[in-house]
Amino acid sequence: MTTTFPDKTLLLDDIAGLRAAARFVREHDSVALLPLLLPGLDGPDLQALAGHCRFAHAGLLLFPPDADSLRAQLAACGLDIDTPSHPSVVVRDRLARRHGRDPAELDVQILRPRVYGPAGQRRAVEVFALTVPPHSGLEPIAAHERTHRHEAHLAFEIEHPEPLALRGLCAILVRHGARPDGGGYNPHEDGTVLYFTLPDDAACDYGRLELYARGDHRDTLAAHLDHRDPPGRRSPGFRPGARQPAETLLHLLTGAWTTQAIAAFARLGLPDAIDTRTAQRTEDLARSTGTHPRSLATLLRYLAMLGVVAEEQEGFRLTELGVLLRADAPGSMRPLALMYGGPFYRSFGGLDHAVRTGAPAFDEIFGENHFDHFARDPRLASLFDQSMAASSRMFQPLPDHPVITAAGRVPAPATVVDVAGGNGELLGLILTAHPRLRGVLLERPHAVEAARRRLDAAGCGARCAYRPGDFADVPSGGDVYVLSRVLHDWDDDRCREILRHCARAMPAHADLLVVERLLPGDGSPSLATAWDLHMLCNVGGRERSADHYARLLADAGLELVGHSPLPLDAHVLHARRAVAAEPDTRRS
């Protein structure tokens, strides 16, 4: 009896699966695909996932008898036979646990031949290849995996994987029926993989979903694995080294070290000295930055654990995450690192005072409120304005908001009034996107000058007027008013006062756009929850829910029309002047 026929049949099955995966990747896009995977997903949750996650590939596990057979399979499906490969640590370890084998027996390679989406998006088919020679002891593994398709999945790559945003996306998936199903960190490509099992009613032949985040996100991964295997209900494959409560708490307690390590990295100018492609020796970096070699190595090893740099045999190189700390990087977050590792770091030492009294810890530590403190120090004032602009990614979609788009199309030039508009970052985006619009920026005198320079440099200063002043000076006659990250600085009474100043200045036709983070109503992880604590500690303000903002607007004679999500867990709330109820003239 010969085994030739069954071997050919199995090879054809692999080719059929590979061809189907390539076709699936070519035909689908994120917005249409996500509700198929998570039935009932819509509204803000769909917008949040689709806004942060890019459909990247369909993945499957193949079992070629040798490298030439794998190349033949790729060729048969019209895929690049010269696609490079590297070891797959995550899938190798999953197979080893599932089948009780030594990982060293399983040579699993990963390669991603390129495929293009319906609008030309660059995607891939992710192929895991376990070489199974004929008559080898690995044939039972291949037979089982072909039947159950454990590794077949659809993957979404996360744009800008900040830790809290990553956890928030995981929470949305779980809320809509996805179940955590393992994951891992692949040091060969410096990427973290989080797997989920899809709901049983998913309208798709794939049973698993992967979130892929560049960098080493081990804290998020640990929480993900703990969710999969809660204490007292560990799976048979549970590893004794998985994080226990004491270890988790220890990682949380040392979070301050992370803040200071990143801040010191930025203060010392290291991000600008380290190359992104070629690893550099610690001794050379110490010489160019004036630092102590052994101490610098200690810092860099810690930062490598965080994914800010990558450690290689030749030394250290800067990662995509670390690039954000360069002084001249687009969207640089260096000012945030200096603020969070500087004045705001010191203020958090008095958090217990804020919780006990309700008064900002910043005032207790520095003897004055943070606005006055920064205003007296031009260097700090400039750093604060730069740090606010460092989160400008949340603004990127705002110029496309229907209210602003409509204002940009009216025959007579419309005016956008940016109330407390900082250094003009947001107003500049809006005016650049809509050449017919005019702008007015209301700010403190020192900030007005910074905004004037920025808007002139952006080429739209001629269309902008500047009003030094306070909230009582909101100019009248605008068509669109913007309050971006202003209200969370203040308590409810001050917010009502600010909103009333805006309402008095707004003509009947005008719109108000409020940019803030919204506290989730279901307790899911959110940057808003973290910033709520930050506001308590530093300014005495707070983050709020959409319903809370609706009440504040109503108290000022304004009506919340709706809200839509922005990046970094922000939202834009749209309000208009409330229409006075007409008196009831019916006779009784």
Side-chain angles (χ1 to χ4, degrees), residues 168-348:
L169 296 174
C170 291
I172 293 174
L173 291 173
V174 171
R175 190 159 62 242
H176 288 276
R179 300 182 299 279
D181 185 27
Y185 171 68
N186 191 335
H188 298 285
E189 59 181 38
D190 188 28
T192 302
V193 173
L194 307 173
Y195 285 121
F196 296 82
T197 300
L198 291 170
D200 295 336
D201 56 348
C204 178
D205 290 336
Y206 291 84
R208 299 173 66 241
L209 179 146
E210 169 195 315
L211 286 187
Y212 177 81
R214 296 185 185 278
D216 184 352
H217 300 275
R218 66 182 61 205
D219 288 338
T220 301
L221 177 62
H224 180 77
L225 296 176
D226 284 346
H227 196 163
R228 177 196 63 175
D229 293 316
R233 192 163 54 83
R234 299 295 183 186
S235 68
F238 172 68
R239 295 170 292 107
R243 183 171 295 173
Q244 298 295 309
E247 185 185 356
T248 297
L249 183 59
L250 191 60
H251 276 266
L252 295 174
L253 288 171
T254 57
W257 303 355
T258 297
T259 303
Q260 282 302 331
I262 293 173
F265 186 62
R267 279 193 295 264
L268 292 167
L270 288 162
D272 301 283
I274 300 179
D275 192 59
T276 57
R277 295 185 179 180
T278 304
Q280 295 160 270
R281 298 189 318 137
T282 306
E283 294 79 3
D284 296 334
L285 288 171
R287 191 178 305 111
S288 64
T289 58
T291 53
H292 183 259
R294 185 183 65 78
S295 302
L296 176 59
T298 301
L299 173 63
L300 292 176
R301 282 196 300 270
Y302 182 83
L303 292 169
M305 192 171 69
L306 303 176
V308 176
V309 297
E311 185 173 10
E312 299 178 354
Q313 188 172 2
E314 300 82 3
F316 294 90
R317 64 173 177 82
L318 197 64
T319 65
E320 185 179 17
L321 186 67
V323 167
L324 290 173
L325 294 167
R326 284 183 165 174
D328 59 351
S332 172
M333 299 180 76
R334 182 178 184 274
L336 278 175
L338 299 180
M339 286 298 300
Y340 293 161
F344 290 151
Y345 186 89
R346 288 183 59 192
S347 68
F348 261 92

Side-chain angles (χ1 to χ4, degrees), residues 125-185:
V125 176
E126 184 171 75
V127 177
F128 302 109
L130 172 63
T131 300
V132 181
H135 313 297
S136 75
L138 299 179
E139 284 186 332
I141 295 179
H144 175 89
E145 295 294 330
R146 280 193 175 104
T147 300
H148 295 282
R149 302 181 75 235
H150 291 297
E151 299 304 328
H153 66 272
L154 299 174
F156 292 81
E157 183 170 351
I158 300 173
E159 312 275 357
H160 314 302
E162 291 89 355
L164 284 175
L166 182 54
R167 293 199 181 198
L169 296 174
C170 291
I172 293 174
L173 291 173
V174 171
R175 190 159 62 242
H176 288 276
R179 300 182 299 279
D181 185 27
Y185 171 68

